[in-house]
Amino acid sequence: MTPVEQVKREAVRLEAAKSFEAGAATAQIAVELRVTERSVRRWRAAWRQGGVAALASAGPMAVEKLSPRQWQRLEAELKRGPLAHGFDDEEQGWTLKRVKLLIGRLFHVGYTVQGVWRLLKHGWSCQVPVRRALERDEAAIEVWKTELWPRVKVPRTTGAPTSALRTKAASR
C-alpha cells in the first residue's frame, strides 16, 4: 500500500476502536466501515490485547530500495530509451526484464521482475503498439481462425455434474 492508503486504512481501524469501546457488534461495524467481518474480528482481538495503540499503522511493509534521487535518475534513463542502454531494438521498448537489468546496472540494487512491475505501476503504463504490423496478413489470420483453430481447440466441458462413484448395480 502507498503511504496515503496506509493512513486511510489506519483511520478506519481507529474508527473501529471507537465502535469497540461503544460496544457495537462486529457485523454492524463491518457494514458501517465497509470492511469484512473477519477484519473487524482481527482488529477487535488486537484492540483487546493492546488497546488503540495496537491498531496504529506499523509503517511500510517493505523499505524502498531506491531513494527519490535514484528514482529521478531512473526515470530520466528510461526516457532516453532502451537503445541508449545497449538494447538492440527500439521497437521492442522497455520490458520488465530490461528495466530490472537497468536498475541493477545503475544502482547495484536487485529487484525481481514482479518487484519492477510493482515499482513501475505508480506512474508508468504498459506500452501498446500505435499501429498494426505491416507484415500482418488478414487473409491468413481469417483462415487460421475458421479452419485451424476449431481443429486444435479443446472442447469445453459441460456444466453437468460428474461422479467417480460406481452407480450401476452390476458394478458393485
Side-chain angles (χ1 to χ4, degrees):
M1 281 194 276
T2 65
V4 173
E5 291 169 334
Q6 286 177 339
V7 168
K8 286 180 184 177
R9 195 65 173 170
E10 181 182 35
V12 170
R13 288 192 305 268
L14 296 177
E15 192 65 34
K18 292 176 186 174
S19 298
F20 298 152
E21 291 169 356
T26 300
Q28 177 188 351
I29 297 170
V31 169
E32 287 175 5
L33 299 178
R34 299 201 288 177
V35 296
T36 63
E37 288 186 32
R38 183 178 180 187
S39 292
V40 175
R41 285 192 297 271
R42 227 175 341 109
W43 297 341
R44 189 184 300 267
W47 174 74
R48 283 186 187 134
Q49 290 278 31
V52 177
L55 298 176
S57 178
M61 296 303 289
V63 178
E64 184 63 49
K65 293 181 182 181
L66 297 180
S67 69
R69 190 172 177 195
Q70 289 173 322
W71 252 108
Q72 288 175 346
R73 181 168 176 216
L74 176 62
E75 287 188 336
E77 295 298 329
L78 289 173
K79 286 176 184 173
R80 286 181 56 205
L83 200 57
H85 294 282
F87 298 108
D88 294 347
D89 50 348
E90 181 64 34
E91 292 299 317
Q92 176 67 32
W94 285 112
T95 62
L96 294 175
K97 187 175 179 181
R98 288 178 173 188
V99 175
K100 175 185 181 292
L101 288 169
L102 180 66
I103 291 171
R105 288 177 189 165
L106 293 176
F107 310 114
H108 305 287
V109 174
Y111 270 96
T112 62
V113 172
Q114 295 85 357
V116 171
W117 170 254
R118 279 187 230 106
L119 187 71
L120 295 180
K121 218 166 41 169
H122 305 288
W124 289 84
S125 64
C126 297
Q127 295 178 355
V128 180
V130 176
R131 55 185 161 66
R132 290 190 175 200
L134 294 174
E135 300 85 7
R136 185 177 171 104
D137 185 356
E138 293 295 334
I141 293 171
E142 197 56 41
V143 168
W144 188 88
K145 281 185 192 176
T146 57
E147 295 177 20
L148 293 174
W149 177 241
R151 282 191 273 159
V152 297
K153 180 180 165 190
V154 177
R156 277 189 167 176
T157 57
T158 64
T162 59
S163 174
L165 299 175
R166 296 182 192 165
T167 55
K168 293 182 182 176
S171 64
R172 288 187 203 158

